[in-house]
Amino acid sequence: FIGAEAVVLPHIKHFGYPWSDTLCFFSNGMIRAVWDKEELVKNGEQIAKNFLRPSYFKEKMAVYRSLSKELFVWFENIDNVNLVSLTDTQLLNLNKKYNTLFLDWWGFAQVAEPVAAGCEYLLNKNRVLNQEQISTLTTPTKKSYTTVEEEELLKMVKETILGNEVREIFQISSDQEVAKRVEQFHSELWGKLREHSQKYYWMLNSYAETRYLGAPYFIRMIKEILAKKLAKKDIDKIFLQNNNRLVEYKNNIEKLGNELNFTEVEKNIIKLIDYLAFFQDERKAFSLRANHYTDLFIKEVARRSGLGYDLVKFLSPYEYPELLADKFPLEKIRARQKHMSLLFYQDGLKILEGDASEKKEKEIFGDNIGNTTNEFEGMRAMGGKVIGKVRKILLVEDLKTMQVGEVLVATMTSPDFIMAMKK
């Protein structure tokens, strides 16, 4: 809700332009979000031109760092509060302050998509780039947070586990029992595991649910690493391959720029696109951490209202006071579970549910929603060409169907998909 709300008025506050009107439709465990492409690209072009001015870029990034720091402080504040002990008024006030900061942060953080669209438009203004060239130019040249986390875990295995007697403990089948033994007998490793968990507990959070990943989860990941029987030199090789891959991406971008004889302005656009890829990854990590705190409030409101968590998820934060005052109709929430629309316009928000929501979605998409699609196209995640069996996964619960060597097709690769991607 907060992320969708942010791309209209809060985005205008920070950058002078919205994405465009934001229409979100929820049904069958999926969300379809739609924007006017022409307006989004046009607004993105204007913001991108501003971002290409060094002074503007520096000023805006300082704002983003300040917003992130302020929100992070609020994470710590919430950590130190027992939500159960608060009165309804105190809980609602705390949630309101948190959502205000989160909305302001998202109002800035959502800038990456329109600027990326604007940059692509500016590049294509005086030349025509094919999909292969666009893929090369938009390949990230910095490590993602998933790669960084994986490397830190590999480093822990290399420095603290391989060649040490502690390795034998990881042969125990129960992850909880391994955690207990490590905590009792290996303080250095336990300290590293705790630190790693506190740093990456949010890794598998999504916009559908959150999970707090404690030491037992990362012990399971370490077991998977040990099962591969890697030596220290093998881990060093993985680090080298990761670094070499980024160097290769940078070289490919530079080579293509030289072949196409890019102007200085175009080179700066490419640098901005590269930064935005890093920015989006950093933003994703921060927002998934924030989802943990959003979920804490949802769970506490659910506990107080006596309604199930899966019902309260269908309320906006602005509706919590009405729910806790026992004035929000249960049948309205039930209708939202079936079908729900969030329609963010510059003149206000509309929430539709049930038949009215389905009617609005058909108005936008027509009657072909859900029809079988046999041909599609999209941006590839990595370079190269492959022919293989496609595994189309739209729902998290279908991830278990992914087989090793299949080609994963998804609408968006959220953290839930990490295990499937590894296959």
Side-chain angles (χ1 to χ4, degrees):
F1 180 89
I2 297 292
E5 182 183 16
V7 299
V8 184
L9 295 178
H11 207 269
I12 294 173
K13 169 192 160 186
H14 282 295
F15 302 106
Y17 303 90
W19 280 32
S20 72
D21 289 342
T22 301
L23 314 179
C24 304
F25 303 97
F26 300 83
S27 62
N28 300 319
M30 289 288 293
I31 173 175
R32 293 179 182 85
V34 61
W35 295 269
D36 183 284
K37 185 175 180 181
E38 187 176 337
E39 184 182 356
L40 191 149
V41 173
K42 180 186 71 176
N43 291 341
E45 180 192 4
Q46 297 304 318
I47 302 171
K49 285 178 178 176
N50 288 334
F51 263 66
L52 288 167
R53 289 167 27 218
S55 59
Y56 182 90
F57 178 83
K58 184 177 179 181
E59 174 194 328
K60 287 299 181 182
M61 286 304 108
V63 170
Y64 178 70
R65 286 191 295 273
S66 176
L67 289 170
S68 299
K69 184 177 179 181
E70 192 173 6
L71 190 55
F72 194 84
V73 168
W74 266 87
F75 294 164
E76 294 179 334
N77 288 344
I78 296 169
D79 283 335
N80 293 321
V81 173
N82 180 3
L83 298 184
V84 175
S85 69
L86 301 179
T87 65
D88 284 357
T89 300
Q90 289 172 328
L91 179 73
L92 292 170
N93 285 339
L94 187 67
N95 183 238
K96 184 178 179 181
K97 289 176 183 176
Y98 168 70
N99 283 326
T100 299
L101 287 172
F102 197 25
L103 180 63
D104 202 21
W105 178 85
W106 261 128
F108 189 107
Q110 295 276 32
V111 73
E113 286 80 358
V115 172
C119 284
E120 189 173 323
Y121 175 78
L122 289 171
L123 280 178
N124 279 301
K125 217 169 184 179
N126 299 314
R127 63 174 80 236
V128 178
L129 297 172
N130 60 41
Q131 195 62 53
E132 186 78 17
Q133 292 168 331
I134 291 172
S135 290
T136 298
L137 295 173
T138 55
T139 302
T141 63
K142 294 182 179 65
K143 293 176 183 177
S144 67
Y145 67 80
T146 54
T147 300
V148 171
E149 186 275 331
E150 191 174 54
E151 286 190 348
E152 288 181 9
L153 209 58
L154 283 166
K155 185 179 179 184
M156 193 189 307
V157 170
K158 176 189 171 185
E159 294 180 351
T160 319
I161 299 174
L162 290 184
N164 298 323
E165 76 282 359
V166 68
R167 181 171 184 163
E168 295 177 11
I169 295 178
F170 286 85
Q171 303 303 313
I172 300 171
S173 59
S174 168
D175 301 326
Q176 284 76 13
E177 182 61 26
V178 174
K180 185 178 176 182
R181 297 278 188 94
V182 172
E183 183 179 9
Q184 286 177 334
F185 304 114
H186 299 275
S187 58
E188 181 189 357
L189 178 56
W190 180 247
K192 288 183 178 181
L193 273 169
R194 292 261 301 165
E195 184 181 340
H196 194 82
S197 172
Q198 288 165 0
K199 189 175 180 181
Y200 294 109
Y201 67 85
W202 45 266
M203 282 282 291
L204 295 186
N205 285 355
S206 69
Y207 297 107
E209 62 180 0
T210 62
R211 290 174 57 190
Y212 190 97
L213 306 178
Y217 170 82
F218 293 104
I219 283 170
R220 199 178 325 135
M221 295 301 102
I222 289 173
K223 283 182 176 180
E224 290 185 10
I225 294 171
L226 293 174
K228 296 175 183 176
K229 302 188 184 306
L230 299 174
K232 291 183 179 181
K233 64 179 182 180
D234 297 319
I235 293 176
D236 289 337
K237 187 177 180 181
I238 292 172
F239 292 157
L240 183 62
Q241 287 173 339
N242 287 346
N243 292 331
N244 287 345
R245 188 163 59 246
L246 295 181
V247 171
E248 181 187 350
Y249 293 159
K250 289 176 184 177
N251 290 340
N252 288 343
I253 292 171
E254 188 177 345
K255 180 183 176 184
L256 182 59
N258 291 334
E259 288 174 1
L260 297 175
N261 197 25
F262 277 152
T263 64
E264 282 304 309
V265 172
E266 288 173 320
K267 287 178 181 177
N268 287 334
I269 292 173
I270 298 303
K271 288 179 183 176
L272 181 54
I273 289 173
D274 186 43
Y275 177 80
L276 290 172
F278 166 74
F279 178 87
Q280 278 183 289
D281 191 68
E282 186 183 67
R283 177 191 76 183
K284 192 173 191 176
F286 201 88
S287 69
L288 295 184
R289 186 192 298 262
N291 284 356
H292 165 75
Y293 296 94
T294 297
D295 221 26
L296 290 180
F297 284 109
I298 295 175
K299 288 171 180 174
E300 180 56 22
V301 170
R303 187 191 70 80
R304 292 177 186 230
S305 67
L307 293 181
Y309 169 76
D310 286 336
L311 286 170
V312 177
K313 281 202 299 187
F314 283 89
L315 272 76
S316 80
Y318 303 126
E319 294 169 330
Y320 293 166
E322 199 176 344
L323 179 68
L324 291 182
D326 201 23
K327 294 180 180 178
F328 200 92
L330 181 59
E331 61 272 16
K332 204 169 186 178
I333 308 177
R334 294 286 188 200
R336 289 181 182 183
Q337 282 187 306
K338 180 186 174 188
H339 205 290
M340 179 181 182
S341 302
L342 294 175
L343 312 173
F344 293 100
Y345 303 106
Q346 289 190 40
D347 61 354
L349 161 71
K350 287 183 181 177
I351 299 179
L352 304 177
E353 52 268 315
D355 294 341
S357 179
E358 287 191 74
K359 183 180 177 182
K360 184 65 178 178
E361 185 177 28
K362 284 186 178 180
E363 205 179 285
I364 300 296
F365 289 104
D367 293 322
N368 296 320
I369 300 169
N371 284 3
T372 300
T373 300
N374 294 316
E375 293 187 20
F376 56 89
E377 62 181 36
M379 294 294 286
R380 67 188 186 186
M382 292 185 70
K385 296 180 180 179
V386 66
I387 294 174
K389 183 176 179 180
V390 165
R391 180 67 62 179
K392 183 180 74 172
I393 298 180
L394 301 181
L395 302 176
V396 172
E397 52 263 36
D398 292 336
L399 286 170
K400 59 182 178 292
T401 64
M402 183 73 185
Q403 303 299 311
V404 174
E406 292 181 330
V407 180
L408 172 64
V409 172
T411 56
M412 184 178 181
T413 48
S414 69
D416 308 301
F417 286 82
I418 290 173
M419 298 313 295
M421 284 188 270
K422 287 181 177 180
K423 294 180 179 179

